[in-house]
Amino acid sequence: MPRFVPGFVFALAAALGFAFAGPARAQEEPPPPPHQQWSFEGVFGTYDAAALQRGFQVYKEVCSACHALKHLYYRDLTDIGYTEDQVKGVAAQAQVTDGPNDQGEMYQRPGRPSDPIVTPFPNDQAARAANNGALPPDLSLIVKAREGGPDYVYAILTGFKDPPAGFKMQPNMNYNEYFPGHQIAMPPPLTADGQLTYADGTKATIPQMAHDVTTFLAWAAEPNLDERHRMGAKVILFLVIAAGIFYAAKRKIWAALH
Amino acid sequence: MPVTGTGRTSRIIRWIDYRLPFVAMLEHELHEYPTPRNLNYWWNFGSLAGIMLVIMIVSGIVLAMHYTPNAAMAFDSVERIMRDVNYGWLLRYIHMNGASMFFLIVYIHMFRGLYYGSYKYPRELLWMLGVIILLLMMATAFMGYVLPWGQMSYWGATVITNLFSAIPLFGQKIVTLLWGGFTVGNPTLNRFFSLHYLLPFVIVAVVGLHLIALHTHGSNNPLGIDNKGPQDSIPFHPYYTIKDAFGLMVFLIFFSIFIFYLPNFLGDPQNYIPANPLQTPPDIVPEWYFLPFYAILRSMTFNVLGIPSKLIGVMLMFSSILVLFLLPWLDTSRVRSARFRPVYKWVFWFLVIDVLTLGYVGAHPPAGTIVVVGQVATFYYFFHFLILFPLLGKIERPRPLPTSIGAAVLGPAGAAGGN
């Protein structure tokens, strides 16, 4: 009966009102990472090739001391604009364990483009032993594996600060504004402007390096983004035209009925 | 209509049809099959669901050619598909977002049935077969989500399989059987993969029954009145084939936006972290299509008459779907379509809001007001089906029905539309 209706409206509106008022969350929650401009955002977004190469340089000279990139191969670097010879050169700088040879022994050889990018530690235990018990995560998927994606990674890289007065730090931990709990085992990786010299002459400020390496890691997590965006535009254009044709056909076929 | 003509093709078709009446059946089900002339676009979602099932099976079979169901290799094999298999990323994003699309379509299809009373006499079994399909889809989707072996796969599997431990006496034994061990592990992944491959074909079989039941009495329609003669119906082909084709294109545009531009929007970032039995994620949240049921499960925070809250929560969650089986008998109204039910029309939208509220609650940690909202919404869900629905049919005064579909659509008194 209609007289039920106002009661339910009220009950549900009240329920929804409570729901959106939101619970008081714990104070430990870090602030949401501020949004940055990324070349790969949006429908027509593509990776900035120069930023990818600078980002790879940051990864190679800084991050790769502790963090692996185990889902990537050297050959993948041709996708970010390196020539095959350059990739061969990058791969050859690494020593890869291969074998067993016909003597039944493992041996070291220079890396080849078909090798996975060599990890800094042979296993997780070795990584922990070298890092006060903390395990540096693999970075292949880090941009997709964190709420906030590239904004979060950038915020962590630039979010190191002195702890606020009275904040109790555990030993070997570092204060980071954006890390859950604010205590991160990783020491600040980007420490000073000019920490490295970019091959393309770009000034290596901390925000620049953080932005470049985050772009590189976004590519590492989603190397097919450029192709996906391009294909999507074609597919959707095709479907819009097909929908138009089918709609016209539908109108024509149904016209006889009315 | 028998195949006529004297050409070679006609002779071959007649030869086959005499022995296996396949073409005759197609002719009968597509061309002669009388369909109400007034179906609106909400009726597109049935055929869309069928097409989505095919898309899921085809993309799934190809993914299975590249996937490795082993706890040590599953995560890496999915990344291998994403990076090194030709168009592997496309296949996986189709399959992963396809699950969401499939549920979205089926939920709209079900709410359409609820609004227009499509579950009522003589379509009770048609509706119940649909509920069985929903249950099978849920089992399939849950097991599929476990396969990438990310953090949410692992912990989702742990939480959901642990629900069965609430069953008195046999609970723990059932859980051990589901796991194939004493924790979620490689045997769990193997059996889930096997079942994830099997169940879609069971769904195909039940969809077959669903279609047989549908074609026995034909589609319901927005007016909810029976087909009374030739003026009320039109052949399915070409009228609804072309309408479905247009609807399919519109749906594929929507689907493509997710595949190509928001492929991980509906997923959880935690599932790009490999499963780690030693580290529980901060929030264990199921995929969006399970959130209302998850909210019902978690709504019980207190024991009742010595029955543990967990057991009641599990029973409520299963009951929230089982109650749908009883719908044809819980609805006491003589009138099918909400168009002619002035009160039910509102009550229907309250149910929609209630389910959306449950979805919101399911997505948030159960603390503070969220718990209370979840309890109110859970109560209303069951109140709607078990009390309001049966009462409403008895006390509501429906508006007069049009004399026939044809009269309503074509006649001068065709004012019955407007919805």
Side-chain angles (χ1 to χ4, degrees):
Chain A
M1 294 256 84
R3 65 195 146 84
F4 286 152
V5 172
F8 292 129
V9 173
F10 179 75
L12 274 158
L16 284 172
F18 280 126
F20 291 113
R25 294 297 299 270
Q27 295 302 307
E28 285 300 298
E29 292 272 307
H35 183 65
Q36 309 294 327
Q37 295 295 316
W38 302 106
S39 60
F40 48 88
E41 284 175 317
V43 172
F44 297 105
T46 54
Y47 292 118
D48 173 355
L52 286 177
Q53 295 197 5
R54 287 196 301 269
F56 174 62
Q57 196 184 338
V58 178
Y59 169 75
K60 197 158 66 94
E61 294 185 21
V62 184
C63 318
S64 70
C66 302
H67 292 279
L69 209 51
K70 65 174 188 169
H71 291 294
L72 271 82
Y73 293 75
Y74 289 106
R75 60 175 157 80
D76 293 327
L77 294 172
T78 54
D79 290 355
I80 64 171
Y82 289 108
T83 64
E84 296 209 3
D85 285 337
Q86 283 172 316
V87 170
K88 275 182 191 160
V90 172
Q93 289 170 17
Q95 284 296 307
V96 174
T97 307
D98 204 348
N101 61 14
D102 46 14
Q103 303 302 311
E105 282 156 8
M106 304 302 279
Y107 60 94
Q108 297 280 310
R109 61 161 173 80
R112 293 192 284 253
S114 58
D115 288 320
I117 290 183
V118 171
T119 59
F121 302 105
N123 51 56
D124 286 358
Q125 287 78 357
R128 283 187 191 279
N131 288 285
N132 299 316
L135 179 66
D138 184 89
L139 295 183
S140 311
L141 284 162
I142 200 81
V143 171
K144 274 157 82 176
R146 293 292 181 277
E147 201 72 55
D151 292 334
Y152 173 82
V153 174
Y154 180 89
I156 288 292
L157 289 173
T158 55
F160 288 92
K161 283 200 172 118
D162 291 330
F167 190 91
K168 202 167 150 22
M169 296 293 293
Q170 305 286 327
N172 298 320
M173 297 300 259
N174 304 279
Y175 186 86
N176 191 305
E177 199 181 346
Y178 296 102
F179 194 72
H182 297 303
Q183 300 199 56
I184 186 167
M186 173 171 74
L190 305 175
T191 47
D193 291 351
Q195 180 178 356
L196 49 81
T197 309
Y198 274 135
D200 67 359
T202 305
K203 198 160 177 288
T205 61
I206 289 177
Q208 180 71 44
M209 290 186 287
H211 200 274
D212 288 342
V213 78
T214 305
T215 304
F216 171 74
L217 292 175
W219 168 80
E222 188 74 8
N224 293 301
L225 176 138
D226 287 0
E227 189 190 5
R228 173 156 64 71
H229 282 185
R230 275 198 309 274
M231 189 191 284
K234 287 181 210 158
V235 168
I236 290 172
L237 182 67
F238 171 85
L239 288 170
V240 167
I241 294 169
I245 292 171
F246 279 124
Y247 184 67
K250 190 253 167 195
R251 287 282 299 245
K252 191 159 170 24
I253 289 170
W254 280 69
L257 285 179
H258 295 302
Chain B
M1 199 191 316
V3 177
T4 51
T6 49
R8 178 188 287 261
T9 328
S10 309
R11 284 213 314 278
I12 294 172
I13 290 174
R14 268 204 302 277
W15 189 93
I16 296 172
D17 262 359
Y18 186 67
R19 289 150 183 87
L20 177 74
F22 182 69
V23 175
M25 188 198 79
L26 277 186
E27 178 72 20
H28 178 69
E29 298 300 342
L30 280 180
H31 198 232
E32 294 163 39
Y33 175 57
T35 315
R37 62 188 308 146
N38 61 333
L39 299 187
N40 58 30
Y41 277 103
W42 297 113
W43 262 263
N44 279 50
F45 288 86
S47 73
L48 281 182
I51 292 165
M52 203 60 235
L53 177 62
V54 174
I55 292 175
M56 292 305 279
I57 288 177
V58 172
S59 58
I61 287 174
V62 183
L63 284 173
M65 295 173 186
H66 301 281
Y67 169 77
T68 311
N70 178 296
M73 295 186 268
F75 187 91
D76 289 355
S77 79
V78 171
E79 275 310 307
R80 179 110 183 142
I81 290 171
M82 292 296 290
R83 291 157 191 274
D84 289 327
V85 172
N86 291 333
Y87 298 107
W89 59 269
L90 179 59
L91 276 171
R92 172 155 181 266
Y93 281 156
I94 287 174
H95 199 71
M96 168 179 148
N97 287 289
S100 285
M101 295 300 132
F102 200 3
F103 274 96
L104 180 66
I105 289 168
V106 163
Y107 286 154
I108 292 174
H109 186 60
M110 292 177 75
F111 273 116
R112 189 269 287 152
L114 278 175
Y115 188 83
Y116 294 111
S118 301
Y119 49 85
K120 290 166 79 74
Y121 172 86
R123 297 184 184 84
E124 298 94 330
L125 287 178
L126 174 61
W127 170 263
M128 292 166 80
L129 287 164
V131 179
I132 290 173
I133 294 171
L134 176 68
L135 283 170
L136 288 167
M137 278 175 64
M138 289 176 143
T140 310
F142 162 65
M143 289 190 272
Y145 192 66
V146 176
L147 303 184
W149 212 241
Q151 273 290 67
M152 219 37 93
S153 299
Y154 182 90
W155 290 97
T158 303
V159 169
I160 301 300
T161 48
N162 255 318
L163 294 181
F164 292 89
S165 71
I167 299 169
L169 303 176
F170 309 105
Q172 205 53 50
K173 284 204 166 61
I174 293 172
V175 174
T176 308
L177 189 69
L178 287 172
W179 286 344
F182 300 103
T183 174
V184 173
N186 196 52
T188 324
L189 178 60
N190 276 238
R191 62 193 57 194
F192 278 17
F193 178 59
S194 171
L195 293 172
H196 182 71
Y197 208 121
L198 169 70
L199 288 185
F201 297 97
V202 180
I203 295 179
V204 169
V206 184
V207 166
L209 297 177
H210 192 69
L211 284 176
I212 293 172
L214 172 70
H215 282 230
T216 305
H217 289 282
S219 294
N220 182 34
N221 66 80
L223 297 172
I225 56 177
D226 289 327
N227 188 346
K228 296 198 175 77
Q231 81 284 358
D232 289 351
S233 67
I234 47 180
F236 188 85
H237 180 74
Y239 295 105
Y240 286 108
T241 37
I242 189 67
K243 194 172 177 177
D244 281 353
F246 167 61
L248 175 64
M249 293 304 125
V250 175
F251 161 70
L252 288 179
I253 292 170
F254 179 76
F255 188 12
S256 298
I257 290 170
F258 280 93
I259 296 171
F260 294 104
Y261 297 107
L262 299 165
N264 294 303
F265 179 76
L266 297 167
D268 193 305
Q270 288 278 333
N271 227 26
Y272 281 109
I273 303 172
N276 182 353
L278 301 176
Q279 189 183 41
T280 317
D283 284 331
I284 300 174
V285 185
E287 293 281 87
W288 70 267
Y289 39 80
F290 290 139
L291 289 175
F293 305 102
Y294 195 53
I296 291 174
L297 169 74
R298 294 197 302 188
S299 66
M300 286 311 291
T301 50
F302 45 88
N303 300 349
V304 177
L305 304 171
I307 307 170
S309 58
K310 183 179 173 186
L311 177 58
I312 304 176
V314 171
M315 290 195 312
L316 281 180
M317 184 179 71
F318 284 110
S319 308
S320 66
I321 296 168
L322 297 182
V323 73
L324 299 175
F325 281 112
L326 304 176
L327 208 57
W329 297 278
L330 288 171
D331 182 357
T332 51
S333 174
R334 292 175 294 111
V335 173
R336 291 197 190 102
S337 173
R339 275 193 192 178
F340 304 102
R341 299 185 60 186
V343 184
Y344 176 65
K345 195 186 226 171
W346 286 95
V347 169
F348 168 83
W349 288 108
F350 286 144
L351 181 71
V352 175
I353 294 169
D354 185 61
V355 171
L356 293 176
T357 307
L358 282 169
Y360 178 86
V361 169
H364 290 79
T369 45
I370 286 283
V371 178
V372 182
V373 175
Q375 288 168 342
V376 172
T378 301
F379 172 79
Y380 183 78
Y381 182 90
F382 288 102
F383 175 78
H384 172 97
F385 285 116
L386 295 175
I387 296 174
L388 194 54
F389 224 34
L391 274 182
L392 203 56
K394 297 216 192 292
I395 52 183
E396 182 184 48
R397 187 173 304 149
R399 287 167 48 203
L401 296 174
T403 49
S404 77
I405 297 171
V409 176
L410 303 172
N419 245 24

